[in-house]
Amino acid sequence: MTLRLAKRLAQETGCSRNEAQQYIEGGWVLVDGQVCEEPGLRVGPENRVVLAAGARAEAAPPVTLLFHKPVGLDTGPAGKPDAGLILPALTLAMRSAVDRSGIRPLKKHFVGLQLTDGLETQASGLLVLTQDWRVARRLVDDAVRIEHEYIVDTGTQVSDEQLARINQGMQFNGKAVTGLKASRQSETRVRIVLKTPPRGLIERLCTEAGLGLVALRRIRIGRSPLAGLEPGQWRYLAGYEKF
């Protein structure tokens, strides 16, 4: 006779069914030596069910992931960031070695993620995906206050006049572009900082200045940098990090 894993664990440990589910979804239960996060898994008498040392019956707190989007990955229609298009790329194998959060990966961490702001398909750089309503409120509801930093490769030498033209700003979708700061990173690359720009704005700025756009990479959102993440890699936002 088989039983649901949550029921079996409750029977063997004397905990409540709700506590058993939290233990399982928290990654604290091993079935035949393998971590199992499925409370509904059917197990038989021959299966060995063990509660790991240090197990805590508590709901897993919401997490936030930082992801380096590679060129060519679609993030959904403009204005409607779709975390579902990113999920297949968030494999455990692509978790970055620079992750110092101390968070144990769980299946629950990849459910209910919200992508706070997308990028053009041919752009690369930092994306934020979150389960935390506080992070979503800051990056989505208060987006007009959040700085984004980009590196633009124009493919040609950028003159002082062209740089000044970018800094003048422009009208885009009927609104004035304000708070823009552009500086030269190299002869052909420009660093641009502005508040949560709509898709297409940076390309338009380059066009207005007589420049091409060979590559676009977002390297910072708020106070969180891309630093250390290779294309396709992700990491957890640590508890001490803020946007």
Side-chain angles (χ1 to χ4, degrees):
M1 176 182 176
T2 63
L3 295 174
R4 292 179 73 253
L5 179 57
K7 184 174 182 180
R8 167 85 174 267
L9 184 67
Q11 288 180 349
E12 293 193 359
T13 64
C15 68
S16 69
R17 197 78 62 87
N18 183 59
E19 288 174 325
Q21 180 162 327
Q22 290 181 334
Y23 281 133
I24 296 165
E25 292 181 348
W28 298 107
V29 177
L30 287 77
V31 177
D32 297 332
Q34 300 295 318
V35 173
C36 178
E37 300 174 45
E38 304 294 336
L41 178 72
R42 307 296 296 191
V43 293
E46 72 281 4
N47 297 117
R48 184 167 179 261
V49 177
V50 175
L51 187 61
R56 298 188 297 272
E58 56 189 27
V63 297
T64 296
L65 278 58
L66 306 182
F67 174 60
H68 187 162
K69 184 188 98 64
V71 171
L73 181 63
D74 187 10
T75 60
K80 295 182 179 179
D82 184 358
L85 296 175
I86 309 299
L87 291 179
L90 301 177
T91 64
L92 188 58
M94 295 306 292
R95 184 183 182 186
S96 173
V98 304
D99 192 323
R100 298 291 185 267
S101 66
I103 298 173
R104 296 180 305 119
L106 299 172
K107 291 181 179 179
K108 289 185 69 172
H109 293 164
F110 304 96
V111 176
L113 286 169
Q114 177 181 356
L115 175 60
T116 62
D117 185 68
L119 279 171
E120 292 88 342
T121 301
Q122 294 308 311
S124 65
L126 183 60
L127 295 180
V128 177
L129 302 101
T130 189
Q131 298 173 332
D132 193 329
W133 66 269
R134 294 165 298 184
V135 172
R137 183 175 66 181
R138 175 149 178 79
L139 297 186
V140 179
D141 297 346
D142 296 336
V144 294
R145 303 177 183 177
I146 303 298
E147 276 192 349
H148 291 222
E149 183 175 346
Y150 296 82
I151 299 298
V152 181
D153 188 347
T154 68
T156 57
Q157 186 168 344
V158 180
S159 69
D160 291 341
E161 292 77 14
Q162 288 170 319
L163 192 62
R165 178 67 187 88
I166 294 176
N167 275 305
Q168 286 175 8
M170 55 180 280
Q171 289 280 328
F172 189 78
N173 292 338
K175 297 180 180 179
V177 177
T178 60
L180 170 66
K181 293 175 285 186
S183 58
R184 186 180 286 103
Q185 192 196 44
S186 69
E187 287 190 352
T188 63
R189 291 182 178 179
V190 177
R191 171 184 171 270
I192 296 179
V193 178
L194 68 171
K195 305 288 181 66
T196 312
R199 294 194 206 184
L201 171 59
I202 293 178
E203 182 176 8
R204 177 77 178 279
L205 284 167
C206 291
T207 299
E208 292 287 322
L211 294 167
L213 198 162
V214 175
L216 175 65
R217 181 163 53 104
R218 181 161 59 196
I219 62 171
R220 177 173 62 87
I221 297 177
R223 288 178 281 177
S224 293
L226 180 65
L229 286 179
E230 297 296 326
Q233 290 186 342
W234 63 273
R235 70 174 179 87
Y236 289 107
L237 183 76
Y240 59 84
E241 294 181 290
K242 304 296 180 184
F243 289 100

